[in-house]
Amino acid sequence: MADASTVIEKLQSRFDPAAARGMNDIFQFHISDADDYYLHIQDGTLDVQQGEHDDPSVSLTTDTETLKGVMSGEINGMQAFMSGKLKAAGNVMLASKLTSLFPSG
């Protein structure tokens, strides 16, 4: 099973600063079988922190396997959301930006 920190580290290497221009958002990840992380995306920069943010823009709750699949493109994020494998709270439209912020390949 993939370690959540490995998935989060891979996100850092795939981050597209151009897609994040003008943004100032916090993506909180509650990972059921691992530690929580949040991503602070601010005008083309990415800051990854372990733990919980006080006021995230959007919170995503899932397990390591689903997170890995969605971020690699193997699992459709909307399907994961509809099937309950991925839960979102807050500005859920932001969650749909994850694929453009972190393009696979």
Side-chain angles (χ1 to χ4, degrees):
M1 181 156 85
D3 180 46
S5 63
T6 309
V7 177
I8 299 293
E9 281 166 25
K10 279 189 181 152
L11 288 183
Q12 288 182 284
S13 64
R14 285 178 22 204
F15 180 64
D16 179 4
R21 246 186 237 120
M23 289 181 72
N24 185 11
D25 294 292
I26 308 287
F27 291 81
Q28 175 73 59
F29 289 93
H30 295 287
I31 305 168
S32 60
D33 56 352
D35 295 324
D36 292 343
Y37 288 88
Y38 64 88
L39 313 178
H40 184 187
I41 296 175
Q42 185 170 8
D43 198 25
T45 64
L46 170 65
D47 181 33
V48 178
Q49 298 291 330
Q50 193 169 342
E52 213 167 315
H53 191 272
D54 292 339
D55 188 22
S57 313
V58 62
S59 294
L60 301 164
T61 305
T62 190
D63 60 24
T64 306
E65 214 49 45
T66 304
L67 177 63
K68 183 182 169 198
V70 169
M71 296 320 275
S72 71
E74 291 167 32
I75 296 174
N76 178 298
M78 189 53 77
Q79 286 176 329
F81 180 72
M82 298 304 233
S83 67
K85 289 184 176 178
L86 176 67
K87 294 182 176 71
N91 184 350
V92 293
M93 289 313 293
L94 265 184
S96 65
K97 284 191 169 184
L98 283 172
T99 47
S100 59
L101 291 168
F102 303 99
S104 54

